[in-house]
Amino acid sequence: MSKISKAMPQAITVPGLRERKALGERVVMLTAYDSPSAKIAEDAGADVLLVGDSLGMVVQGHPDTLGVTLDQMVYHCAMVSRSAKRALVVADMPFMTYHTGWQDAVRNCGRCLQEGGVQGVKIEGGAKRADLIKALVDSEIPVMGHIGLTPQSLHTFGGFKVQGRTLEAAEALLRDAKAVEEAGAFSMVLECIPSEVAREITARSGILTIGIGAGPHCDGQVLVFHDVLGLYDGPLPRFVRPYGDFGKQMREALGNFKRDVMEGRFPTEEEAFHLSPDLARQFGAKDDDADSSAH
Ligand code: KIV
C-alpha cells in the first residue's frame, strides 16, 4: 500500500452503510450546506452529510423548507461534495422536485448526483413514495427514505407536529417503513415520532433508521448543524441538544472587532504593510512610520 493510500480516509459508501445495520454500529449524520460546515462536520466524525432542505430555514431565513429550489440544492450539494473526503453526501430533494412524476424525479435527482456530486438523495414520504423510490433505485440513484414528520407536508399536517401518536397512526408508520425498505431505500430518517414506534420500526427494519426527535432506539441520529452549534436564532424543539453556543461567541468576537475599530486599536502598524525605510524617507513619511519592513 502506498503512503498516499494509507493516509486517505476510508470513504463511506452506500453498501458500507447497509453493512453497519448488520454490524449494529451506530451512524451519525449531520446537515451541511457549504464548505466550512462540511469540513467541520466531517472532521468531527459525521458518517453522512445531509444537504438538508432545512437550509431554507437556517441559511436562507425562511419560516419553513418549502421555498428551496432544485438549482439551490444542486449549488449547495456541489459545495459540500467538494469538501467531503470521507462522509457520504446526500441531497435532500426539495419540495416539488419529485412530486410530478417519476421521470421528472429521476432527472432532478440525477442532477444532484451529476452536478452536485452527491452519492444519494433523500425523499420524504412513506408508502405513497414506494413506486418512486423503486424507479430511482432502478436508475442507480441510492435513496434515503424519510417518514414521520416530513417537513414538506407542513400544511397537510397543520404545523410541525409529532406524528404516529395514535395506534392507527403508529401502525401506518410501520407500513410506511416496510414500504420504503421494500422499495429499495438504503436507510430512512424517522422524524418526530414516539420513541416506542421508532424502536419497533428499527427492530423490524433491515435498513438503518436515523432518528431526529424519535428517541434513542434508532440505528443512528441526525441533527441540524446550526442547531447543534447554537447558531440558529429560533426556538429549539425538545429533541435538539445544543452542544455549543457559537452564535454568542461569534457575536462577541465581531463586537470586539467593532470596538477595536471604533477605538482606533485595529489595525496596528504591525498588521499593516510598509514602504522600505529609504522609500519612506523619499516619500516624506515620518521616521517612526517606516521602521517595519514590508510583508
Ligand atoms: O432538512 C433537513 O435538515 C432534514 C433533517 C433534519 C432530517 O430533513
Side-chain angles (χ1 to χ4, degrees):
M1 198 187 277
S2 75
K3 259 190 185 165
I4 291 174
S5 58
K6 254 190 199 162
M8 291 282 277
Q10 181 79 37
I12 309 256
T13 61
V14 168
L17 276 181
R18 283 187 176 278
E19 281 169 24
R20 300 274 282 269
K21 174 80 181 189
L23 295 171
E25 274 175 26
R26 284 174 187 255
V27 166
V28 173
M29 179 158 90
L30 277 166
T31 64
Y33 311 104
D34 53 17
S35 179
S37 57
K39 283 185 182 156
I40 291 168
E42 187 174 72
D43 287 350
D47 301 301
V48 184
L49 300 179
L50 174 69
V51 188
D53 64 354
S54 49
L55 74 88
M57 299 172 76
V58 298
V59 176
Q60 297 176 336
H62 292 300
D64 55 50
T65 61
L66 302 185
V68 178
T69 66
L70 178 62
D71 283 345
Q72 290 167 353
M73 181 52 68
V74 170
Y75 171 77
H76 284 274
C77 285
M79 287 191 271
V80 171
S81 308
R82 227 174 275 139
S83 300
K85 301 284 172 272
R86 167 186 167 271
L88 189 91
V89 183
V90 174
D92 194 7
M93 294 312 293
F95 185 53
M96 279 300 133
T97 62
Y98 56 93
H99 303 69
T100 55
W102 68 268
Q103 284 169 322
D104 286 349
V106 169
R107 204 171 297 117
N108 293 340
C109 293
R111 275 193 65 193
C112 290
L113 270 75
Q114 275 196 313
E115 298 170 42
V118 305
Q119 289 88 47
V121 300
K122 179 167 80 56
I123 297 288
E124 292 187 8
K128 66 183 170 196
R129 302 276 181 248
D131 289 345
L132 171 62
I133 293 174
K134 190 170 178 327
L136 291 167
V137 172
D138 286 347
S139 308
E140 318 306 340
I141 299 176
V143 176
M144 174 180 284
H146 184 162
I147 64 172
L149 169 51
T150 44
Q152 291 169 14
S153 317
L154 165 75
H155 298 305
T156 309
F157 294 151
F160 294 114
K161 292 183 177 161
V162 177
Q163 300 295 301
R165 282 191 133 152
T166 64
L167 264 191
E168 209 183 19
E171 274 156 18
L173 281 174
L174 290 177
R175 288 195 295 277
D176 279 338
K178 191 163 187 279
V180 166
E181 179 178 354
E182 286 178 356
F186 68 91
S187 63
M188 73 185 117
V189 170
L190 307 180
E191 179 161 354
C192 285
I193 63 174
S195 179
E196 297 80 358
V197 181
R199 176 185 224 157
E200 192 55 30
I201 291 174
T202 302
R204 290 186 191 193
S205 167
I207 58 173
L208 289 170
T209 61
I210 304 179
I212 175 162
H217 307 294
C218 301
D219 298 308
Q221 296 290 329
V222 54
L223 282 176
V224 168
F225 186 87
H226 291 61
D227 291 348
V228 188
L229 296 179
L231 290 171
Y232 184 57
D233 261 351
L236 290 182
R238 169 205 308 212
F239 57 81
V240 171
R241 187 185 300 174
Y243 282 85
D245 196 354
F246 290 94
K248 186 169 167 233
Q249 288 190 34
M250 285 160 98
R251 279 187 196 90
E252 277 170 13
L254 298 176
N256 289 342
F257 166 62
K258 167 160 180 168
R259 188 203 54 216
D260 284 354
V261 171
M262 300 307 281
E263 294 175 3
R265 287 196 275 147
F266 177 84
T268 60
E269 284 297 353
E270 285 69 35
E271 288 159 323
F273 300 101
H274 295 279
L275 295 173
S276 67
D278 260 6
L279 270 184
R281 259 190 298 279
Q282 287 175 43
F283 190 65
K286 284 191 268 157
D287 275 357
D288 60 351
D289 284 346
D291 56 5
S292 305
S293 57
H295 291 291

